[in-house]
């Protein structure tokens, strides 16, 4: 029963047809193109992230501390497990939408809970694998390959999320219970998640002096987590020193806590799902009708949609918030930022392109056009029935993304340029490149969602975190950033830095114009 349930739930969440939004056998050409783009994007991401960790592991190996890399692998998996549990546990375990379907079936309650948690774990494993793979490669490259060490590494990878899911599931339920009873509950939820994220982010870099490799700024934070959470040290001892007793501790504690959780939480989950109710409050409210422009109205609609789904705002709003923090921080931590940049300059790396990498990352993490069309869901027919051109709908989604990131990007870059004494001409060129990248990525993401929509979903999380369009939006952004970086590097070998950057900005602008020109026929065809 358990295996059959997991198979159905897994297929419901991860079948290729649901992920891609179309039948792969009937669209071979489209499948090949999307597959190529996905492979290139993943390769670009793994190359960039892998190079960072390979360099980091090399430094640690020289001081006989390569085992520290394992702490990073465990910490990152724990972090992803925490975020997944915070976002999904309340809705996926305690208030799942298919309760009315599953409850009458001949499943024991704990079988359903185990099936649900298994699918949650699979989501964590798939996401964590992309992060842990380059870390594992760097560790085993410098430490040597041992079959038993690999077995222990994989076993620890599978067990690491169990305890965080147990702890954060209850926290997720509590937060959901509290925030739903407060005014502006969704806005408060968004703020809380951003505060949590940036609190962890600031803590990880405030405990160390960061050198050229930013991972050095997280060493003490990772070590501190190991001190307060000894399970991590058991895992490291098991993999690095082949300490079988500590590995046994790790397995027994993880499985014991998880098993106790399933036993205790099953009646709680049954009760929360049986008592979930919806209340409807009617208030007398004066309604004023005011005529607005079509594009303006559609953009306002996008803004309302954005803040009505906390996970949508948190996943795609990281870039703007990061840039706001960077711009404001440049006033208060000018000397610290300058010290870091001086060390970068000593390594013969220009400051301007490095700042553009930070801005590029933030811009490309703002990928709302890649999923906003899918979020229309089964209500898409309403938009299609209105006398609005498909191109106009897509333009409003592109404009919303640009409104979300470009003004904040300009503000932050001007603040950083002023506080770091960047040459005015270089600052203007950097702004030009940043805006060109924002426009190009927004249009490309709109094309992605036009070709790979996902309208059939039970929860918005499926679109925002599990669809191929969202994956291409994220990893495709990394691929675009790496491609632009290679282009600049090649031009900078023969041209001045500002001229090389200007050419890259102009090239991205030209591509954007071409894509915008073809947006109308593509949107018309895809909407039909």
């Amino acid at each position: 029963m358990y295996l059959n349930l997991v198979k159905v739930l897994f297929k419901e969440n991860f079948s290729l047809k649901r992920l891609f939004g179309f039948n792969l056998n009937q669209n071979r050409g489209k499948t090949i193109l999307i597959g190529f783009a996905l492979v290139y994007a993943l390769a670009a991401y793994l190359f960039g992230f892998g190079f960072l960790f390979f360099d980091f592991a090399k430094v640690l190996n020289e001081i006989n501390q390569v085992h520290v890399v394992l702490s990073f692998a465990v910490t990152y998996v724990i972090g992803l497990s925490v975020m997944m549990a915070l976002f999904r546990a309340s809705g996926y375990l305690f208030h799942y939408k298919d309760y009315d379907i599953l409850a009458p079936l001949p499943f024991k309650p704990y079988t359903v809970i185990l099936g649900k948690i298994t699918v949650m774990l699979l989501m964590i494993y798939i996401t964590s694998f992309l992060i842990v793979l380059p870390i594992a490669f760097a560790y085993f490259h410098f430490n040597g390959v041992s079959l038993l060490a690999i077995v222990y590494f994989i076993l620890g990878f599978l067990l690491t999320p169990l305890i965080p899911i147990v702890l954060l599931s209850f926290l997720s339920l509590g937060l959901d219970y509290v925030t739903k009873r407060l005014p502006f509950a969704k806005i408060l939820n968004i703020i809380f998640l951003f505060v949590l994220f940036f609190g962890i982010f600031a803590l990880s870099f405030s405990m160390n002096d960061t050198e050229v490799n930013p991972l050095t700024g997280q060493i003490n934070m990772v070590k501190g987590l190991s001190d307060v959470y000894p399970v991590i040290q058991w895992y490291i001892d098991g993999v690095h020193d082949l300490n079988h007793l500590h590995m046994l501790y790790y397995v027994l504690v993880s499985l014991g806590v998880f098993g106790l959780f399933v036993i205790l939480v099953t009646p709680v989950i049954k009760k929360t799902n049986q008592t979930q109710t919806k209340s409807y409050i009617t208030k007398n409210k004066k309604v004023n009708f005011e005529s607005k422009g079509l594009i303006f109205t559609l953009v306002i609609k996008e803004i309302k949609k954005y803040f009505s789904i906390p996970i949508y705002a948190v996943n795609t709003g990281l870039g703007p918030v990061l840039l706001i923090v960077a711009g404001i921080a440049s006033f208060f931590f000018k000397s610290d930022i300058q010290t870091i940049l001086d060390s970068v300059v000593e390594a013969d790396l220009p400051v301007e392109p490095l700042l553009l990498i930070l801005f590029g990352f933030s811009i490309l993490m703002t990928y709302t056009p890649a999923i906003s069309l899918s979020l229309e869901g089964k209500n898409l027919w309403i938009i299609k029935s209105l006398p609005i051109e498909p191109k106009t709908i897509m333009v409003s989604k592109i404009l919303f993304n640009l409104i979300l990131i470009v003004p904040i990007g300009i503000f932050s870059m001007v603040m950083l340029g002023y506080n770091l004494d960047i040459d005015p001409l270089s600052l203007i060129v950097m702004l030009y490149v940043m805006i060109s990248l924002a426009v190009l990525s927004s249009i490309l993401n709109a094309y992605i969602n036009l070709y790979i929509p996902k309208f059939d979903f039970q929860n918005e999380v499926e679109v925002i975190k599990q669809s191929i369009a969202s994956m291409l939006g994220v990893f495709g952004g990394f691929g675009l950033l790496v491609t632009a970086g290679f282009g600049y590097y090649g031009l900078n070998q023969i041209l001045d830095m500002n001229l090389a950057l200007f050419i890259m900005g102009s090239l991205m602008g030209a591509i954007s114009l071409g894509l915008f020109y073809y947006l109308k026929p593509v949107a018309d065809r895809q909407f039909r």
Side-chain angles (χ1 to χ4, degrees):
M1 284 292 192
Y2 164 74
L3 293 177
N4 288 331
L5 180 61
V6 170
K7 181 180 178 181
V8 172
L9 293 175
F10 183 82
K11 186 176 181 181
E12 180 69 18
N13 285 274
F14 295 104
S15 70
L16 292 178
K17 185 175 180 180
R18 284 185 63 83
L19 288 173
F20 281 85
F22 60 89
N23 191 319
L24 274 64
N25 293 326
Q26 297 177 358
N27 298 271
R28 293 186 180 275
K30 187 177 177 180
T31 302
I32 292 172
L33 289 174
I34 293 172
F36 175 79
L38 193 58
V39 169
Y40 175 78
L42 287 172
Y45 158 76
L46 290 173
F47 173 80
F49 191 71
F51 177 80
L52 204 63
F53 255 103
F54 190 85
D55 178 70
F56 184 52
K58 181 180 178 182
V59 174
L60 291 173
N61 186 57
E62 291 173 354
I63 58 175
N64 199 29
Q65 295 288 318
V66 72
H67 63 275
V68 174
V69 174
L70 294 174
S71 301
F72 278 79
V74 180
T75 302
Y76 288 168
V77 174
I78 290 174
L80 287 170
S81 304
V82 167
M83 297 304 292
M84 177 65 75
L86 272 177
F87 282 132
R88 299 219 63 179
S90 179
Y92 199 70
L93 295 179
F94 297 100
H95 304 98
Y96 52 89
K97 293 185 177 181
D98 49 359
Y99 178 79
D100 292 339
I101 299 174
L102 291 174
L105 297 178
F107 292 122
K108 295 181 179 179
Y110 67 83
T111 303
V112 178
I113 303 309
L114 277 176
K116 289 278 186 178
I117 295 176
T118 300
V119 174
M120 278 187 65
L121 285 171
L122 289 172
M123 297 175 191
I124 295 172
Y125 293 147
I126 293 170
T127 307
S128 301
F129 178 76
L130 297 174
I131 295 178
V132 170
L133 181 62
I135 299 177
F137 176 81
Y139 171 76
F140 287 109
H141 175 83
F142 290 104
N143 192 64
V145 178
S146 164
L147 179 59
L148 187 57
I150 293 176
V151 171
Y152 280 173
F153 184 91
I154 296 173
L155 181 61
F157 170 76
L158 296 176
L159 294 177
T160 297
L162 297 185
I163 296 178
I165 280 183
V166 169
L167 299 177
L168 272 299
S169 292
F170 287 113
L171 178 60
S172 175
L173 177 63
L175 288 173
D176 185 66
Y177 180 83
V178 172
T179 56
K180 280 185 176 179
R181 284 156 176 77
L182 295 174
F184 309 106
K186 293 182 177 179
I187 299 296
L188 290 173
N189 201 358
I190 293 170
I191 293 173
F192 168 78
L193 292 172
F194 272 127
V195 169
L196 176 66
F197 176 84
F198 279 100
I200 297 172
F201 183 81
L203 179 66
S204 67
F205 286 101
S206 64
M207 302 180 70
N208 262 77
D209 291 330
T210 305
E211 305 296 335
V212 175
N213 193 321
L215 295 173
T216 59
Q218 301 179 19
I219 291 178
N220 280 348
M221 187 272 293
V222 171
K223 185 178 182 301
L225 182 61
S226 300
D227 293 338
V228 300
Y229 188 53
V231 177
I232 296 178
Q233 192 59 49
W234 293 344
Y235 171 74
I236 295 172
D237 293 343
V239 176
H240 188 69
D241 300 325
L242 297 182
N243 188 320
H244 310 304
L245 183 60
H246 281 190
M247 198 65 200
L248 180 62
Y249 290 162
Y250 186 82
V251 173
L252 292 178
V253 169
S254 298
L255 292 179
V257 171
F258 180 72
L260 187 63
F261 168 74
V262 173
I263 294 172
L264 295 178
V265 84
T266 298
V268 177
I269 290 177
K270 183 178 180 181
K271 183 177 180 180
T272 56
N273 279 291
Q274 286 178 341
T275 57
Q276 58 183 329
T277 57
K278 295 182 179 180
S279 59
Y280 299 90
I281 301 175
T282 303
K283 294 182 179 180
N284 294 324
K285 185 178 179 181
K286 184 179 180 181
V287 179
N288 295 319
F289 292 94
E290 186 176 355
S291 178
K292 298 287 185 180
L294 183 57
I295 292 288
F296 178 86
T297 303
L298 290 173
V299 170
I300 294 298
K301 171 183 169 297
E302 293 296 321
I303 294 174
K304 291 180 179 179
K305 183 82 170 181
Y306 188 75
F307 289 104
S308 68
I309 308 174
I311 191 173
Y312 182 26
V314 172
N315 272 262
T316 60
L318 175 61
V321 176
L322 183 62
L323 292 183
I324 290 174
V325 171
I328 296 175
S330 66
F331 284 95
F332 301 98
F333 303 100
K334 179 179 178 180
S335 58
D336 296 329
I337 297 174
Q338 193 64 56
T339 301
I340 296 172
L341 293 178
D342 287 342
S343 65
V344 170
V345 172
E346 289 175 4
D348 198 27
L349 297 171
V351 172
E352 290 83 355
L354 288 174
L355 283 178
L356 279 173
I357 291 175
L358 169 64
F359 278 80
F361 170 80
S362 301
I363 288 168
L364 296 169
M365 286 298 291
T366 312
Y367 56 95
T368 61
I371 53 180
S372 56
L373 181 62
S374 294
L375 288 174
E376 301 293 345
K378 296 177 180 179
N379 294 324
L380 180 69
W381 67 271
I382 298 176
I383 295 178
K384 291 178 68 174
S385 65
L386 296 174
I388 305 174
E389 289 189 358
K391 178 184 176 181
T392 304
I393 295 171
M394 298 311 299
V395 167
S396 70
K397 296 180 181 297
I398 293 169
L399 280 177
F400 167 68
N401 196 70
L402 294 175
I403 292 170
L404 192 62
I405 187 65
V406 170
I408 293 173
I410 293 173
F411 163 80
S412 180
M413 186 169 285
V414 170
M415 294 301 99
L416 281 166
Y418 172 78
N419 288 307
L420 300 178
D421 299 322
I422 294 177
D423 177 66
L425 178 61
S426 298
L427 183 60
I428 293 172
V429 174
M430 291 168 66
L431 288 169
Y432 176 63
V433 173
M434 181 198 71
I435 295 171
S436 298
L437 178 62
V439 173
L440 177 58
S441 65
S442 298
I443 297 176
L444 283 174
N445 284 328
Y447 270 85
I448 288 173
N449 209 186
L450 278 170
Y451 280 103
I452 323 174
K454 182 176 182 177
F455 301 118
D456 184 18
F457 57 88
Q458 293 183 355
N459 191 294
E460 290 87 355
V461 177
E462 295 180 37
V463 175
I464 297 165
K465 298 186 72 68
Q466 295 172 221
S467 65
I468 290 295
S470 66
M471 191 178 297
L472 276 175
V474 175
F475 293 110
F478 290 134
L480 178 59
L481 190 61
V482 170
T483 304
F486 278 125
Y488 162 77
Y489 178 79
L491 289 171
N492 192 225
Q493 301 303 305
I494 55 175
L495 298 173
D496 171 72
M497 179 194 71
N498 285 335
L499 183 58
L501 287 174
F502 178 78
I503 292 174
M504 287 305 304
S506 300
L507 181 61
M508 288 188 289
I511 296 173
S512 299
L513 286 174
L515 290 173
F516 188 78
Y517 176 79
Y518 284 104
L519 184 61
K520 177 177 171 53
V522 171
D524 288 342
R525 182 173 64 251
Q526 293 304 116
F527 265 64
R528 286 197 300 271

